[in-house]
Amino acid sequence: MRKLISIGTSLLYATLLSSSSPQQDPDPFLTKPYLQIGDAPSLSGATTMMVLWHAGQAADDWKVEVQTSRDKSWRAAGQPVGQTVSAPAGQPQIAGRNGAKKDAPAPPAIDPHIVYRVRLTDLVPGEEFHYRILKKGVPVFDAVGRARKSQRQGYRFVLFGDCSQGTPSQKAIAYRAYLAKPDFLFITGDIVYGSGRISEYRNKFFPVYNTDEPSVANGAPLLRSVPFIAAPGNHDTALANFQRFPDALAYFLYWDQPLNGPVPPDGAVKATHVLTGSAEAQAAFRQGAAPRYPRMANYSFDYGNSHWTVIDANTYMDWSNPSLREWLQKDLAAAQSAAWRFVAFHQPGFNSSKEHFNEQQMRALAPIFEAGHVDVVFAGHVHNYQRSFPLEFVPKAQPDGTLRGPKGEVAGDWKLDKEFRNGEHGKPHGVVYIVSGGGGAELYNPEQQSDPSSWQPFTDKFISQVHSMSVVDMEGKTFRLKQISETGDVVDSFRIAK
Ligand SMILES: [Fe+2]
């Protein structure tokens, strides 16, 4: 087993290794430990962090210990709590039925397994902490994380969407993200392809973002040290057909994020998804997803001097619903003392790609973002990178009084701040809209990068020939974004200074 890393060193990422003790055989983990911010939306949560892992069987011999710079030695964390997750077998897929494109055998059942959760407490905001998992009193895993930053501490985040498709680019971006040493990593939806299933998390998500050794070819040990935070995309939560995929909606089973969003009436159309398929599969899902389903689709949290609002932009949501709009307005109004306000969701309102062009439903919220003094809106869904000019938008109603046209388009007038450039010449007038959907899935519209005549008037930058991620540094009243390609090149950069 490797020597323990001393707390407070900068060696965290250089020396991070998991250590499975040779005394423990077989590997006790179905999925190795990973960090989540948990249901701790406010900065008081900066002293806490959730650790999750999956195991094949329930056992009461797990222990977790933590050490911070204030601890002379390891101290016990709370007792891990296990929750059983399972899914029955699905139905054979027949082309043309239930959305199946081709015939396929029935998806196999997912054996019952246990998702363990433990909350680390009394962390020192912004500082490294060391944690380890013990089984039968023997350490079987250890890693170093960093507690959430407090209001006066700068921070760095990496952001991308549309990632876990098992491609070489997904792994290269994971490696680049690891090299960037972020405080957290945000995924703007479409976390796993193609249907947000347990089996897909096991094949394409955990092995890439929590592999033991960092490499361009395989990914990196990120999840154990860097909390991931996510917005749900269509591939995560819009395919709630349990007849076809009984192990769908794994977002609600495996993530642990704030539960402070609006509470949709269970199953209400246009306020949450509607589950379909076998009663057995639905019951298994609900057991594993409580209390996160459906509430965890929308939430907000504070990190450093910023407030983040994360919303579900899937088309089963109707953001003209007054109660949803009111929640968003109130959330932003309550965050006016934060230095920065960011909103993140999956489907972009302002997109120049021919792909997904008509999915403009989120434009309808632009006036709320502007009134709430939102600085930057992050989206994914479109597999490339786009940056808008700072803009203000006034939606125009269709003849029937609704905002969305027959294809989903939202008409209106925009006012563009073309003087802003890269932020070197003053403050932006309006909201900057970022599409950062180049996290690994196949790129969209590479031909448009060199053809600005194909871009919409609101688009300033358009990078679609290479996968990329956003690396953002927050330091007081300065925001700096660098868009880094999978080969490490800076393909865009800008700053906002207040
Ligand atoms: Fe998507």
Side-chain angles (χ1 to χ4, degrees):
M1 192 157 34
R2 73 182 172 83
K3 279 166 61 178
L4 299 185
I5 298 168
S6 61
I7 300 299
T9 68
S10 59
L11 296 174
L12 164 60
Y13 293 89
T15 56
L16 256 182
L17 290 170
S18 77
S19 52
S20 295
S21 164
Q23 299 165 48
Q24 289 287 329
D25 194 33
D27 184 349
F29 299 108
L30 208 52
T31 296
K32 286 182 180 172
Y34 57 103
L35 301 181
Q36 296 274 280
I37 62 169
D39 184 16
S42 73
L43 278 181
S44 61
T47 59
T48 71
M49 189 72 79
M50 298 296 294
V51 182
L52 284 76
W53 68 94
H54 309 172
Q57 286 170 345
D60 57 9
D61 53 8
W62 291 103
K63 292 270 182 288
V64 178
E65 295 180 337
V66 63
Q67 191 176 12
T68 71
S69 63
R70 292 178 186 165
D71 300 308
K72 289 199 175 72
S73 58
W74 290 106
R75 66 178 154 86
Q79 189 59 31
V81 176
Q83 188 165 16
T84 302
V85 169
S86 66
Q91 301 290 321
Q93 293 166 49
I94 299 167
R97 286 198 209 158
N98 277 330
K101 289 183 181 145
K102 54 186 179 186
D103 291 350
I110 300 289
D111 289 339
H113 58 285
I114 314 297
V115 176
Y116 281 100
R117 292 177 160 81
V118 66
R119 184 185 299 277
L120 307 181
T121 58
D122 299 313
L123 305 178
V124 184
E127 279 193 14
E128 289 179 359
F129 60 85
H130 199 170
Y131 70 96
R132 65 180 185 179
I133 316 280
L134 298 89
K135 185 101 167 87
K136 294 189 174 73
V138 178
V140 289
F141 184 93
D142 66 85
V144 176
R146 186 181 292 283
R148 279 161 71 178
K149 297 283 176 72
S150 65
Q151 211 162 14
R152 293 208 177 93
Q153 295 171 312
Y155 70 99
R156 167 176 283 191
F157 64 94
V158 163
L159 179 145
F160 55 75
D162 309 274
C163 44
S164 305
Q165 206 174 48
T167 62
S169 294
Q170 177 203 351
K171 295 162 187 170
I173 290 286
Y175 179 68
R176 291 285 159 205
Y178 172 82
L179 295 183
K181 304 178 186 175
D183 292 309
F184 69 88
L185 191 151
F186 196 97
I187 298 182
T188 51
D190 284 1
I191 305 160
V192 292
Y193 289 86
S195 306
R197 300 164 59 191
I198 290 172
S199 50
E200 292 164 337
Y201 269 84
R202 289 178 175 177
N203 292 332
K204 293 181 279 195
F205 182 78
F206 291 117
V208 172
Y209 299 115
N210 213 5
T211 189
D212 288 342
E213 300 287 344
S215 72
V216 175
N218 295 315
L222 277 162
L223 281 162
R224 66 193 64 183
S225 295
V226 177
F228 280 32
I229 310 172
N234 52 307
H235 285 273
D236 303 307
T237 58
L239 303 163
N241 181 343
F242 284 91
Q243 196 77 21
R244 191 172 163 206
F245 299 130
D247 61 337
L249 294 183
Y251 170 78
F252 294 101
L253 303 170
Y254 291 161
W255 291 73
D256 204 307
Q257 308 189 124
L259 303 177
N260 60 344
V263 188
D266 200 6
V269 175
K270 293 297 181 188
T272 185
H273 8 245
V274 179
L275 302 184
T276 61
S278 81
E280 183 192 6
Q282 291 192 35
F285 166 73
R286 286 178 187 279
Q287 178 186 322
R292 294 168 299 282
Y293 175 79
R295 192 162 180 171
M296 202 174 69
N298 302 275
Y299 60 93
S300 65
F301 65 96
D302 294 320
Y303 198 105
N305 61 2
S306 315
H307 181 75
W308 285 75
T309 308
V310 182
I311 57 180
D312 187 346
N314 282 299
T315 48
Y316 53 73
M317 298 289 289
D318 179 1
W319 282 98
S320 68
N321 178 322
S323 66
L324 291 177
R325 292 172 74 88
E326 188 184 326
W327 177 82
L328 177 59
Q329 285 165 327
K330 282 187 174 168
D331 183 76
L332 293 172
Q336 293 304 303
S337 63
W340 298 87
R341 280 159 297 282
F342 302 125
V343 177
F345 49 81
H346 185 58
Q347 289 89 342
F350 298 96
N351 159 40
S352 271
S353 243
K354 289 169 184 164
E355 197 74 38
H356 296 312
F357 180 70
N358 285 320
E359 297 175 41
Q360 298 169 3
Q361 63 267 22
M362 299 310 279
R363 287 187 189 184
L365 293 183
I368 294 179
F369 300 155
E370 293 159 24
H373 304 289
V374 170
D375 297 287
V376 181
V377 171
F378 296 99
H381 193 45
V382 181
H383 302 178
N384 51 42
Y385 169 75
Q386 300 173 46
R387 167 156 67 97
S388 79
F389 295 104
L391 69 84
E392 295 169 313
F393 180 74
V394 181
K396 209 184 284 177
Q398 300 287 323
D400 66 358
T402 62
L403 289 179
R404 296 186 70 192
K407 293 181 185 162
E409 70 276 21
V410 175
D413 299 313
W414 47 69
K415 197 157 72 178
L416 308 176
D417 176 4
K418 294 199 172 183
E419 301 300 313
F420 174 69
R421 298 174 188 258
N422 293 328
E424 306 297 336
H425 305 288
K427 298 175 182 177
H429 297 283
V431 178
V432 177
Y433 289 85
I434 300 290
V435 177
S436 191
E442 188 182 357
L443 291 167
Y444 287 166
N445 301 113
E447 76 285 357
Q448 284 186 257
Q449 178 171 320
S450 55
D451 180 15
S453 69
S454 72
W455 308 352
Q456 294 297 301
F458 50 74
T459 295
D460 189 10
K461 290 281 164 38
F462 190 107
I463 306 291
S464 59
Q465 292 180 351
V466 65
H467 289 86
S468 64
M469 63 181 187
S470 308
V471 180
V472 179
D473 286 311
M474 304 300 307
E475 202 61 61
K477 297 200 166 179
T478 306
F479 163 109
R480 282 191 182 81
L481 181 148
K482 281 186 180 166
Q483 192 69 17
I484 308 286
S485 77
E486 64 180 289
T487 51
D489 299 317
V490 178
V491 293
D492 184 35
S493 65
F494 75 100
R495 69 166 199 156
I496 303 173
K498 293 198 172 185

